[in-house]
C-alpha cells in the first residue's frame, strides 16, 4: 500500500458494491442495499468513486466498533498488554501498509481523529478537547512530514511548512494546558472532589 494521498495506479479502486457486501457481513445493514439503491446513492453523492469512499469509511467505523467490543471482551477475560498489542497490530497489517505506507496509514487514521476533535472543539467542548484537537493537528502535521518521499522539488518546502504547522499547534495546545490548573482551581476552590 502506498501513501494514501498519492494516486493509486497499481491497485484497483474498491467498488461500492464490494464494500457494501463487507458491511453486510459485519451486520451493519438490516438488509443490504440492492444494486439499484447503490446506483441511486452514487448519483446522490456525486458518483461511484465518492460512494465507495463514503462506504469504505463507514466500514472502517463499523470495524472500529467491532474491534472495541472484541477488545473489551478480551480484557474482561483477563488478556493484557501483549494480547492488546497483538490485536492492534492487525490494523496496519490488514490495511496492507508496509514500509513508508505504514506512516501513510497512520497519517490517514490521524486525519480522522483530528477531524472529529476539530468538530468537537468548534462545538466548544472545553479546554481539554481544545488541547487534544491542537495536539492531533500537530501529530497530523508531523506525520505529513514523514510521508514526503523526496526532498527534490516541493518536498523540502512541504516538510518545512508542516513542521511550522506542528510547532504552532503544539504551542497552542501548551497554552491551553497551562490554563487548566487555574480553571480547575476556580471550578473547585476546595479541591477536586474525590482526590
Amino acid at each position: 500500500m502506498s501513501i494514501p494521498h498519492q494516486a493509486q495506479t497499481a491497485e484497483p479502486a474498491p467498488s461500492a458494491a464490494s464494500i457494501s457486501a463487507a458491511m453486510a457481513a459485519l451486520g451493519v445493514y438490516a438488509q443490504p442495499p440492492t444494486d439499484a439503491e447503490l446506483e441511486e446513492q452514487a448519483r446522490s453523492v456525486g458518483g461511484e468513486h465518492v460512494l465507495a469512499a463514503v462506504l469504505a469509511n463507514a466500514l472502517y467505523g463499523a470495524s472500529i466498533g467491532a474491534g472495541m467490543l472484541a477488545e473489551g471482551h478480551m480484557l474482561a477475560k483477563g488478556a493484557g498488554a501483549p494480547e492488546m498489542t497483538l490485536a492492534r497490530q492487525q490494523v496496519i497489517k490488514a490495511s496492507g501498509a508496509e514500509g513508508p505506507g505504514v506512516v501513510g496509514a497512520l497519517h490517514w487514521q490521524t486525519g480522522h481523529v483530528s477531524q472529529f476533535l476539530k468538530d468537537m472543539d468548534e462545538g466548544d467542548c472545553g479546554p481539554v478537547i481544545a488541547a487534544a484537537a491542537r495536539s492531533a493537528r500537530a501529530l497530523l502535521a508531523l506525520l505529513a512530514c514523514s510521508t514526503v518521499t523526496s526532498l527534490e522539488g516541493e518536498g523540502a518546502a512541504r516538510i518545512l511548512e508542516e513542521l511550522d504547522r506542528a510547532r504552532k499547534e503544539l504551542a497552542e495546545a501548551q497554552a491551553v494546558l497551562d490554563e487548566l490548573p487555574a480553571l480547575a482551581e476556580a471550578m473547585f476552590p476546595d479541591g477536586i472532589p474525590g482526590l
Side-chain angles (χ1 to χ4, degrees), residues 1 60 63-64 67-68 71 84-98 102 105-106 108-109:
M1 176 180 183
Y60 177 61
S63 297
I64 289 171
M68 289 171 62
E71 284 182 9
M84 183 68 76
T85 298
L86 175 65
R88 290 189 172 173
Q89 286 172 340
Q90 301 313 301
V91 172
I92 298 298
K93 185 177 180 181
S95 77
E98 54 187 38
V102 170
L106 293 174
W108 184 80
Q109 288 178 316

Side-chain angles (χ1 to χ4, degrees), residues 57-193:
N57 279 281
L59 177 59
Y60 177 61
S63 297
I64 289 171
M68 289 171 62
L69 284 172
E71 284 182 9
H73 290 295
M74 180 181 76
L75 293 171
K77 297 238 180 229
E83 292 84 6
M84 183 68 76
T85 298
L86 175 65
R88 290 189 172 173
Q89 286 172 340
Q90 301 313 301
V91 172
I92 298 298
K93 185 177 180 181
S95 77
E98 54 187 38
V102 170
V103 175
L106 293 174
H107 182 260
W108 184 80
Q109 288 178 316
T110 303
H112 283 85
V113 171
S114 179
Q115 184 62 53
F116 291 128
L117 287 170
K118 178 180 181 242
D119 293 346
M120 291 172 70
D121 185 32
E122 288 172 356
D124 198 24
C125 287
V128 174
I129 293 297
R134 286 157 182 79
S135 298
R137 288 196 298 265
L139 177 58
L140 189 63
L142 291 171
L143 289 169
C145 290
S146 300
T147 64
V148 174
T149 57
S150 171
L151 295 179
E152 306 275 328
E154 298 176 11
R158 183 167 168 230
I159 288 175
L160 293 175
E161 288 170 14
E162 296 295 349
L163 288 175
D164 283 343
R165 183 175 292 118
R167 278 192 290 274
K168 176 183 167 276
E169 296 292 354
L170 286 172
E172 290 180 12
Q174 183 66 50
V176 172
L177 290 172
D178 287 345
E179 294 173 6
L180 288 178
L183 287 171
E185 190 173 315
M187 288 176 63
F188 305 103
D190 298 324
I192 297 174

Side-chain angles (χ1 to χ4, degrees), residues 16 18-33 38 41 54-67 69:
S18 66
I19 297 167
S20 181
M23 290 176 63
L26 275 178
V28 174
Y29 295 130
Q31 181 172 340
L38 285 173
Q41 288 174 15
V54 167
L55 290 176
N57 279 281
L59 177 59
Y60 177 61
S63 297
I64 289 171
L69 284 172

